[in-house]
Amino acid sequence: MKLHNDVWIGAVICGVGVWAAWQTTGFDERSSTYPMILSGLVAALGAGVSVMGFLKTSPPIAMAAAMGIALPGGAVIAAWAGALGLGLGFLLPTLAMQIALLWLGGVRGGLRILSYALLITVVAYGLFGVALDVPLPDARVPWLV
């Protein structure tokens, strides 16, 4: 039996979700609720991807093709996390990440990419920073936002 890449990818995503949920057990009660729910959803979705991979009847694709798509996106997200850790604030690194991910996703046209990236960044800031009151990283240099 040859397993689809979805089985392995789902298992990794599920494992990351379980690990993240375990990490939240060290948070205080007020801070742990949102990350615990989010990591539980990630674990459940990863498990769902794995189960669907078992049930697939189509021929599997080469892992090299899947990795050629996923690795650049992962590198962009890692660079975003690094920028947050360096104190570059939330807005500019998030905007840059959205621009890169949209381009990697096949969206073309500078104005279109910038419009979508601005919309996603503003919605993310509004959802997390304003509505959910999640403490977002502050910029060490105030003009960086």
Side-chain angles (χ1 to χ4, degrees), residues 36 75 86:
M36 177 67 81
L86 290 174

Side-chain angles (χ1 to χ4, degrees), residues 42-144:
V42 168
L45 290 172
V49 168
S50 282
V51 168
M52 293 305 293
F54 276 118
L55 301 176
K56 264 189 184 177
T57 57
S58 62
I61 61 171
M63 184 61 121
M67 293 306 284
I69 295 168
L71 286 179
V76 167
I77 293 170
W80 171 74
L84 294 178
L86 290 174
L88 298 179
F90 176 79
L91 293 176
L92 289 179
T94 302
L95 180 65
M97 176 189 68
Q98 294 304 327
I99 289 169
L101 290 177
L102 286 164
W103 185 82
L104 286 171
V107 178
R108 295 296 180 255
L111 186 57
R112 175 178 282 170
I113 289 175
L114 184 59
S115 299
Y116 291 167
L118 279 169
L119 178 66
I120 294 167
T121 302
V122 167
V123 168
Y125 181 80
L127 178 66
F128 294 106
V130 178
L132 296 174
D133 199 26
V134 174
L136 299 175
D138 291 326
R140 290 194 179 134
V141 180
W143 57 266
L144 284 175

